[in-house]
Each structure stands twice: as structure tokens, then as C-alpha cells.
Amino acid sequence: MQPTLKLIAFDLFGVVISDGHLVTHGLLPLLPPTVTKAAVKPYYDAYTGGQISEVAFWEGIGLTLESPIRQQFLNFFELDADLAAVTYVLSQRYRLGILSNLGAEWGDMLEARFAFSERFEPRIISGAVKCQKPEPAIYEVLIKASGVGGEHIAFIDDRRENLAVAKRFGMTTIHYRREADAHPFEPDYTIESLADVLAIL
């Protein structure tokens, strides 16, 4: 008998937010052309993993916390067009949560803009818990915060690599395929739009 799903957990970038490329599409276009993705990535990974502060992230790429770019790049992102309708329907039957690789302060800035706390609980932001997908520890944080076993959680992510680890915890895996993904993991379900979730759950 299939375990009853109780929580639907959403990735932020590429699922809740329509663009999955925070650095490539959001940040790099605002930076001098001499700053490459390869130069930004080590600082980005360290910040989103909670290993360095946001101040250290901006200083690492040659800016300061007061730079107007900080607000500009987060304002680039918009919610998935289907999000409001889909979460309204799902919330009638399930709890909804967030599991995202993101700097803690950036999570606060997006909360101020989009009020995620009104519909998502728990909200696990990697920078705040100091581990990130696909590290197993962050899935354990989600399970502990939600108070339900992995078999009662469905997780929606745009990266198969992250879903592969979720499956090890017994979660139902849903891949939001926005672009090609060469990772060999085969998720339980694949969707092409967020509205497709309603035909699954």
C-alpha cells in the first residue's frame, strides 16, 4: 500500500521561481564583463552552503553589501505563472514546504517580496542550515522540520541530481523539466509545467 503523502516540498529556483539560473541569468548580466561565472561560483557555493557570510560573498566578487546590484539581481526573478493556482489546490489536501539552495539573507529578501511564509512551512534554506542539496543532511533537516517521514513527502526539483538523494529518503520525486538534464536518475514523475502536478497528486 502506498504511504499517504502529507507534505509537498518545492525547490525555489526553477520550480517556484520560473528561472533556475540565479547566477547566470540574474547576477552575471549586472556584473562587469570581466567577472566570469567560474570566478563567482566558489563564493556562491560557499555562501549558499552557509560557509561564508553575505558580506564575504560580495567582497569576494569585488562588490559590497551596499551595492545596488544586490537588490537588482533578486528583483529579476518572478514566480512561476501557475504557482498561485497550483498551491491553492494542493493546500486543500497537503502541507506545502520549501527546500532550496540559497543564501540565508537572500531567502529573507525573497520572503519580504513574495511572502512565502503564507503558504509554505517548513522553509529550509541552505544558507541558514549550513548544508545544501544534494548533501543528505539537508533532506534530514526537511524531514525533522516537517515531522513526517520521507515516505510521506513529495519533492519537486528541476535537477535530477537533487531528486536522486531525495529518493534515498523514500520521497516521491517529481522532476520539473525546464531543460535537458543528463543525470541518469529516473524520477517517479516528470512534469513540463507546474500545473501538471495536479494530475499526479
Side-chain angles (χ1 to χ4, degrees):
M1 185 174 169
Q2 187 78 6
T4 305
L5 287 178
K6 297 180 179 179
L7 176 75
I8 314 301
F10 293 73
D11 173 38
L12 274 182
F13 287 87
V15 178
V16 167
I17 291 169
S18 57
D19 195 310
H21 297 280
L22 192 148
V23 172
T24 305
H25 295 165
L27 186 56
L28 282 182
L30 300 172
L31 299 177
T34 52
V35 181
T36 64
K37 183 177 180 180
V40 172
K41 192 161 178 11
Y43 295 102
Y44 174 80
D45 288 344
Y47 172 50
T48 57
Q51 275 77 57
I52 64 172
S53 67
E54 188 186 7
V55 171
F57 166 77
W58 290 113
E59 289 178 349
I61 64 171
L63 296 171
T64 68
L65 197 62
E66 289 71 36
S67 168
I69 288 175
R70 178 180 190 250
Q71 193 70 52
Q72 283 176 294
F73 101 94
L74 284 177
N75 284 341
F76 167 80
F77 296 99
E78 299 295 339
L79 299 178
D80 186 285
D82 293 332
L83 183 74
V86 169
T87 53
Y88 173 77
V89 173
L90 291 178
S91 68
Q92 308 304 304
R93 295 182 56 199
Y94 308 104
R95 292 165 56 199
L96 308 179
I98 283 172
L99 181 63
S100 177
N101 284 355
L102 188 66
E105 291 83 1
W106 295 351
D108 292 341
M109 292 167 72
L110 291 176
E111 167 61 30
R113 183 179 172 200
F114 295 123
F116 291 136
S117 59
E118 293 179 2
R119 60 189 123 172
F120 298 103
E121 180 62 41
R123 297 177 308 285
I124 309 303
I125 303 297
S126 63
V129 299
K130 296 184 168 32
C131 52
Q132 57 189 323
K133 298 175 295 182
E135 295 171 22
I138 197 167
Y139 302 86
E140 293 172 348
V141 171
L142 174 66
I143 289 169
K144 185 174 181 179
S146 65
V148 299
E151 69 277 12
H152 299 295
I153 299 173
F155 179 44
I156 309 169
D157 200 295
D158 62 328
R159 297 175 187 266
R160 289 185 175 196
E161 178 184 22
N162 296 334
L163 293 168
V165 181
K167 193 64 187 176
R168 284 160 44 189
F169 288 91
M171 298 181 195
T172 298
T173 54
I174 302 172
H175 179 219
Y176 192 160
R177 184 169 57 199
R178 290 188 182 271
E179 55 192 47
D181 188 332
H183 192 279
F185 175 72
E186 288 295 333
D188 296 307
Y189 302 98
T190 298
I191 58 175
E192 305 288 345
S193 76
L194 205 51
D196 292 346
V197 171
L198 299 181
I200 296 169
L201 302 176

